[in-house]
Amino acid sequence: MFRLLVLLLLALFSVVHALSSTGSRLLVVTDDSAIDKEKYSTFWRDLERRGYRLSFESPKNDKLALFQHGERTVDHIILLPTRSKGLGPSLTPHLLLDFIKNNGNILLTLTAESPVPSAISALLLELDVHLSPDRTSLVVDHFNYDTISAGEKHDVLLIEKPSALRSDVKNFFGGGGLIALPRAIAQELGSSSQLLTPILRAPETAYSYSPREEAETVAEPFAVGSQISLVSSMQARNSARFTILGSAEALEDAWFDRTVQGPAGKAVKSSNRAFAKSLTGWTFMETGVLKVGKVEHHLSTISDTKSGNDSVAQLGYLNPTIYRIKNDVTFNIEMSEYSFDLLAPFTVSPDDRLQLEFTMLSPFHRLDLQPMSTTLNSTIFSVTFRLPDQHGIFSFRVNYKRPFMTNVDVKREVTVRHFAHDEWPRSWMISAGWVWIAGIWVTIFGWVAFVALWLWSEPAYEQNQGKKRQ
């Protein structure tokens, strides 16, 4: 009985530990499941330990379907390299894009060992990702390669884990260590799409090279240096994620914790296993996921005798639908960040800003939200401001979109009205009217004084001044 209870607890722990925020059904598309299960056994085992339920299917399987009754049959897809030109009728570029539109996530792996299928090239073109016209080209670097396994061909790149894209962007893929990328395929990202973000770029000395070219120099390479993206990402507007790994061999057991050595470095263990965890964790919505909790707004009064949060006091009830112009209003939003197996309080980078827009057709206010308090798994951000002297339909809006973070777009509509007739300030409270008020009272007192003076200065009436003469 005790052993059964322990097994049940372990099973429950395996289900909830590091589970994706969007589901655990993971489809692996492969030509030969038996070979790939053995070749990537450590990778599959790590995914299963994190709570994923793996199913292996061939792209030629007629029964394979991504949708049933209008709903997704799986939550995530891993596309391993295939030797066929297409991916079958169930995995066309159109269906894969529909899968992304329905909040599905995809990890696409490429390799220079076999030509890239035309269906994959067509899918990437839809996302503005370009591959070399020669579908067998690979990336080489004569200064950053593994001297142990690629001493002659220089086609096993050794690259440090990527640093942060910008100072205001959180880095989910960083840390110490070298990543070994054997026979990687170069990707060139279009500049017209704001949804594309490179995760790992090639060094400045790398270039795309076709093994079919026997010349010692490459006249016009497809891409060179930082133009080459080795690992790329696309986060759609619905926050669904699509990741392209240019080297499928980097996920094999042979390259997990393998000893590698650069031309001028020491022999070290590769960090492919840790990088694979961070890459799949981000792709399958285990990291970089923002959750919005309570959203509140209310009337406020501001005290001059206190400071900080104590200076603001709530008036009335929460979330009213109508305000008056020039009201003092407080807006609060609760946000959390999902990180592998827990919800943690969301923190904004020192170089970043979480802002509130009070907008009609355009923002009337754009204010920084400041952390007011923190709970066990969330942070409450707040700001107090005065409404503009403009009536109409307004919106409280928090529009936070950053690379590698799910999009947050929260709107709350309210009506802002004019002053009511009994809400205007009295005339004696308006300093500009004091001159006119003084004129009125001067006129009144002057008239009263004139009347009193006139009555007081009336001539005396004379009596008995004689009889009237005939």
Side-chain angles (χ1 to χ4, degrees), residues 245-267:
L245 176 60
S247 173
E249 289 88 343
L251 303 177
E252 295 180 1
D253 295 349
W255 292 99
F256 274 16
D257 303 323
R258 179 167 177 165
T259 301
V260 295
Q261 183 177 2
K266 298 180 180 179

Side-chain angles (χ1 to χ4, degrees), residues 81-233:
T82 175
R83 298 184 182 276
S84 58
K85 293 184 179 180
L87 296 176
S90 300
L91 297 172
T92 61
H94 179 72
L95 289 175
L96 291 174
L97 291 176
D98 284 343
F99 183 76
I100 295 174
K101 292 177 183 178
N102 284 270
N103 300 312
N105 307 302
I106 299 176
L107 173 61
L108 171 65
T109 62
L110 304 174
T111 180
E113 290 292 327
S114 59
V116 179
S118 56
I120 295 297
S121 299
L123 172 63
L124 296 180
L125 284 176
E126 292 285 343
L127 305 177
D128 203 14
V129 179
H130 305 273
L131 302 180
S132 173
D134 185 357
R135 296 186 297 167
T136 60
S137 64
L138 55 93
V139 180
V140 296
D141 190 339
H142 303 302
F143 297 90
N144 300 278
Y145 64 93
D146 182 24
T147 57
I148 299 176
S149 60
E152 295 182 359
K153 295 184 178 181
H154 302 176
D155 57 355
V156 179
L157 305 184
L158 294 183
I159 304 176
E160 293 185 356
K161 285 188 175 181
S163 57
L165 185 67
R166 300 193 308 258
S167 60
D168 61 335
V169 175
K170 189 172 182 179
N171 186 12
F172 296 98
F173 315 99
L178 291 175
I179 305 171
L181 296 174
R183 292 168 289 281
I185 289 182
Q187 308 142 40
E188 190 175 19
L189 306 183
S191 59
S192 60
S193 176
Q194 299 180 353
L195 307 178
L196 295 172
T197 307
I199 295 177
L200 182 64
R201 288 193 180 274
E204 294 294 334
T205 52
Y207 62 93
S208 180
Y209 164 76
S210 176
R212 296 178 181 179
E213 298 179 3
E214 298 182 356
E216 295 182 358
T217 60
V218 180
E220 294 183 0
F222 167 69
V224 297
S226 58
Q227 296 176 346
I228 299 174
S229 178
L230 299 172
V231 184
S232 311
S233 68

Side-chain angles (χ1 to χ4, degrees), residues 261-275:
Q261 183 177 2
K266 298 180 180 179
V268 295
K269 294 288 186 181
S270 68
S271 300
N272 286 32
R273 188 172 186 176
F275 181 71

Side-chain angles (χ1 to χ4, degrees), residues 447-461:
W447 171 252
V448 172
F450 170 77
V451 171
L453 180 63
W454 184 81
L455 293 176
W456 179 76
S457 61
E458 180 183 7
Y461 180 73

